[in-house]
């Protein structure tokens, strides 16, 4: 019996091993490569150089891979907010044409460049001291871009997603065609995955089968703004600047939850009792004139220090002042059920979700958004008649006022003229 069990275990291991390895010969433009990621404080994977393995965090923000060959201890207490090492303060030596494998030993690239750290990081208080594997959308030089190198070597498409703790690189064309999605073009200013957000909606986003979802600005449940957000898989949380953090707290949590400072990880977070989470309003992101709803209960994680409280995944940390108004961490595209596909070929980001609301109408009590139709079925509403009546009344009122002033002035001159004539007659 024991021998049979041992045989079954070995057989399963061999089958799993066979199917997990990548057959390089079969990789083409239609292929998807899937790699499980290790999750500690961030997502990490391995690269192999001269048969030596380096486990490094994945970073979407830097345009090149770099390695610290003097491996530093991984001992740390952080779990949520990561401080990457200041690259501009470090010194590197460029390495070229060295066989290197990313994610899997079988993916060997002969012609690729990476940077090897030459300065010392022992005195730095950063969390990426061992290096980074870059997945930036572009680089200053194409030889430094990993997605470009995979495309050159295997014709594999320059798309990837991080979803359910797995990195998938390759072709997503069919999935994008079949599923409801929002697409947004990334900003051209930097080598980062950045897009613009139009606003945030607070409230119920159940469309109840209607074709059009109306947002009334006067109800105070929609905050219209226009700023850039950067997707950063080093972070797990969504980090925003302080004014946005205060606005979110006021809109959703005022007098319901508590703001606390996590001194160890240097961020401020919103902590709520488990019992009230389901009663809070949901959130929707306005992206490219479409609404991406997010269930509020998916934006909470357990607080390790207090089992009765949950931590809201949108918080404030000082690092956002340096990087921009908002860093969208891996929880967004890995844990919320929103599949986010990063497309380096066309410089796009796709958000795939069945809950997307495509037909949005934004109105207030006095105006209709300039993209909306003012007249409904070519008919005037009661509001339109009242507005026209007020405008016409004001117009005639102004005419009467001007006429009255003119009449008063004219009569005054006439009386003075009559008095002059009478005096002349007496003389």
């Amino acid at each position: 019996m024991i021998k049979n069990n041992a045989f079954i275990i070995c057989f399963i291991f061999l089958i799993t091993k066979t199917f997990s390895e990548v057959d390089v010969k079969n990789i083409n433009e239609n292929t998807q490569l899937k790699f499980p990621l290790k999750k500690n404080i961030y997502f990490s994977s391995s690269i192999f150089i001269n048969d030596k393995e380096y486990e490094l965090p994945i970073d979407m923000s830097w345009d090149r891979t770099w390695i610290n060959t003097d491996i530093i201890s991984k001992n740390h207490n952080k779990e949520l907010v990561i401080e990457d090492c200041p690259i501009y303060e470090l010194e590197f030596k460029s390495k070229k044409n060295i066989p290197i494998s990313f994610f899997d030993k079988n993916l060997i690239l002969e012609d690729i460049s990476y940077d090897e750290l030459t300065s010392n990081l022992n005195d730095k208080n950063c969390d990426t001291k061992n290096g980074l594997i870059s997945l930036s959308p572009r680089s200053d030089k194409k030889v430094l871009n990993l997605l470009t190198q995979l495309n050159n070597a295997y014709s594999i498409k320059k798309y990837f997603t991080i979803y359910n703790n797995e990195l998938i690189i390759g072709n997503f064309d069919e999935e994008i065609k079949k599923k409801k999605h929002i697409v947004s073009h990334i900003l051209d200013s930097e080598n980062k995955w950045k897009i613009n957000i139009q606003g945030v909606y607070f409230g119920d986003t159940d469309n109840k089968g209607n074709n059009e979802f109306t947002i009334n600005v006067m109800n105070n449940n929609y905050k219209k703004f226009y700023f850039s957000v950067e997707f950063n898989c080093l972070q797990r949380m969504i980090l925003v600047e302080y004014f946005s953090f205060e606005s979110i707290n006021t809109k959703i949590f005022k007098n319901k939850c508590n703001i606390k400072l996590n001194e160890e990880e240097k961020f401020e977070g919103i902590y709520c009792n488990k019992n009230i989470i389901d009663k809070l309003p949901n959130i929707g992101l306005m992206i490219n004139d479409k609404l991406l709803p997010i269930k509020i209960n998916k934006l909470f994680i357990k607080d390790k220090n207090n089992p009765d409280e949950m931590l809201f995944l949108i918080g404030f940390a000082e690092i956002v002042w340096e990087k921009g108004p908002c860093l969208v961490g891996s929880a967004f595209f890995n844990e919320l059920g929103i599949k986010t596909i990063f497309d380096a070929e066309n410089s796009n980001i796709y958000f795939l979700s069945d809950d997307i609301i495509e037909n949005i109408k934004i109105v207030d009590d006095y105006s209709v958004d300039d993209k909306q139709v003012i007249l409904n079925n070519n008919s005037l509403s009661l509001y339109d008649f009242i507005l026209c009546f007020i405008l016409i009344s004001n117009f005639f009122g102004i005419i009467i006022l001007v006429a009255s002033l003119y009449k008063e002035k004219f009569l005054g001159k006439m009386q003075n003229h009559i008095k002059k004539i009478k005096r002349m007659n007496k003389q």
Side-chain angles (χ1 to χ4, degrees):
M1 183 69 177
I2 295 175
K3 289 183 178 179
N4 289 338
N5 289 339
F7 173 79
I8 292 171
I9 292 171
C10 291
F11 178 76
I12 293 173
F13 174 78
L14 289 172
I15 292 293
T16 305
K17 184 68 175 173
T18 301
F19 280 96
S20 63
E21 290 180 348
V22 178
D23 187 352
V24 176
K25 295 179 181 178
N26 295 330
I27 298 176
N28 56 51
E29 61 181 7
N30 297 315
T31 303
Q32 277 190 356
L33 301 178
K34 299 182 179 182
F35 309 102
L37 296 176
K38 299 170 186 176
K39 185 78 166 100
N40 194 355
I41 57 173
Y42 39 57
F43 285 116
S44 63
S45 186
S46 297
I47 66 172
F48 305 87
I49 302 174
N50 296 327
D51 293 326
K52 187 172 182 179
E53 181 178 1
Y54 298 88
E55 185 182 323
L56 303 177
I58 307 294
D59 188 1
M60 302 160 61
S61 300
W62 290 105
D63 69 341
R64 65 197 66 191
T65 296
W66 66 274
I67 302 170
N68 183 358
T69 53
D70 297 326
I71 296 298
I72 296 174
S73 173
K74 298 178 183 178
N75 295 330
H76 46 67
N77 297 317
K78 291 196 170 183
E79 295 181 352
L80 294 170
V81 178
I82 308 304
E83 293 184 62
D84 52 342
C85 296
I87 303 296
Y88 53 85
E89 295 181 7
L90 307 180
E91 295 179 0
F92 297 96
K93 182 179 180 181
S94 182
K95 295 285 186 175
K96 298 180 179 179
N97 302 322
I98 296 175
I100 180 172
S101 300
F102 286 87
F103 314 118
D104 189 289
K105 280 187 177 181
N106 292 332
L107 288 176
I108 301 174
L109 301 179
E110 299 288 346
D111 182 19
I112 193 168
S113 297
Y114 67 93
D115 284 341
E116 187 176 288
L117 184 72
T118 57
S119 54
N120 194 309
L121 281 177
N122 289 325
D123 60 340
K124 300 288 183 182
N125 293 321
C126 50
D127 302 307
T128 56
K129 294 182 179 182
N130 293 328
L132 298 168
I133 298 176
S134 167
L135 284 175
S136 63
R138 48 186 172 252
S139 301
D140 294 335
K141 296 181 180 178
K142 288 186 178 180
V143 72
L144 298 173
N145 189 287
L146 176 57
L147 295 173
T148 300
Q149 290 301 310
L150 288 171
N151 178 264
N152 291 341
Y154 305 109
S155 299
I156 191 167
K157 284 206 166 188
K158 296 189 290 182
Y159 293 60
F160 76 91
T161 187
I162 295 174
Y163 192 66
N164 290 333
N165 300 327
E166 190 175 49
L167 171 66
I168 307 172
I169 303 175
N171 193 320
F172 290 90
D173 289 346
E174 286 301 313
E175 189 172 1
I176 292 171
K177 286 179 183 178
K178 291 178 180 178
K179 293 190 177 181
K180 189 183 289 188
H181 66 271
I182 299 173
V183 58
S184 183
H185 197 69
I186 65 173
L187 303 180
D188 295 329
S189 57
E190 301 175 41
N191 301 323
K192 299 178 189 280
W193 294 100
K194 274 188 174 184
I195 64 169
N196 282 322
I197 297 290
Q198 295 167 284
V200 177
Y201 175 77
F202 304 93
D204 181 21
T205 53
D206 185 2
N207 209 20
K208 298 180 175 62
N210 297 325
N211 293 326
E212 186 175 69
F213 186 77
T214 301
I215 296 175
N216 192 328
V217 177
M218 298 303 291
N219 290 342
N220 205 29
N221 58 2
Y222 180 69
K223 183 173 178 57
K224 186 176 182 179
F225 53 80
Y226 202 73
F227 67 71
S228 63
V229 300
E230 176 189 334
F231 292 84
N232 186 309
C233 59
L234 282 179
Q235 308 298 334
R236 183 184 181 190
M237 294 183 69
I238 300 170
L239 301 176
V240 297
E241 47 84 24
Y242 189 75
F243 301 108
S244 296
F245 179 67
E246 278 291 303
S247 178
I248 291 171
N249 179 51
T250 301
K251 294 278 187 181
I252 303 178
F253 302 104
K254 192 173 183 180
N255 301 324
K256 298 175 184 176
C257 302
N258 300 312
I259 295 178
K260 297 180 184 178
L261 173 64
N262 187 318
E263 295 183 358
E264 186 177 36
E265 300 205 37
K266 300 177 184 177
F267 78 93
E268 288 186 44
I270 298 172
Y271 295 81
C272 299
N273 189 283
K274 293 179 180 178
N275 299 327
I276 73 161
I277 291 175
D278 289 333
K279 301 175 185 177
L280 298 172
N282 294 321
I283 293 178
L285 300 180
M286 188 69 74
I287 304 172
N288 204 8
D289 297 326
K290 297 179 181 180
L291 194 66
L292 179 64
I294 303 171
K295 298 293 184 184
I296 194 74
N297 56 9
K298 292 185 178 181
L299 286 170
F300 283 90
I301 59 174
K302 294 180 180 179
D303 177 22
K304 66 176 184 179
N305 298 319
N306 188 341
D308 294 324
E309 284 191 330
M310 303 285 282
L311 170 63
F312 189 55
L313 277 171
I314 301 179
F316 163 70
E318 292 287 348
I319 61 173
V320 297
W321 294 119
E322 302 172 4
K323 297 179 179 293
C326 181
L327 294 179
V328 178
S330 63
F332 179 88
F333 42 84
N334 185 61
E335 302 173 33
L336 302 185
I338 300 169
K339 196 166 190 178
T340 308
I341 298 173
F342 302 91
D343 171 10
E345 289 192 9
N346 305 296
S347 299
N348 288 328
I349 299 179
Y350 298 87
F351 305 95
L352 279 61
S353 171
D354 293 333
D355 298 325
I356 290 170
I357 302 174
E358 298 177 328
N359 195 0
I360 303 295
K361 182 178 181 181
I362 300 177
V363 300
D364 59 34
D365 286 349
Y366 304 103
S367 64
V368 181
D369 189 76
D370 55 9
K371 291 186 178 181
Q372 309 301 328
V373 180
I374 295 177
L375 298 180
N376 183 18
N377 297 326
N378 297 320
S379 63
L380 294 175
S381 66
L382 178 61
Y383 168 78
D384 298 317
F385 281 113
I386 294 173
L387 181 60
C388 290
F389 176 77
I390 292 172
L391 292 174
I392 293 170
S393 299
N394 288 338
F395 176 73
F396 281 109
I398 292 171
I399 292 176
I400 293 170
L401 177 61
V402 171
S404 298
L405 292 174
Y406 179 78
K407 180 181 178 182
E408 184 179 345
K409 187 175 180 181
F410 178 77
L411 291 175
K413 287 184 177 181
M414 285 293 295
Q415 288 177 357
N416 292 333
H417 188 64
I418 291 169
K419 289 179 181 178
K420 286 182 181 180
I421 293 173
K422 287 181 178 179
R423 283 197 299 267
M424 289 174 64
N425 292 333
K426 288 180 180 179
Q427 292 176 359

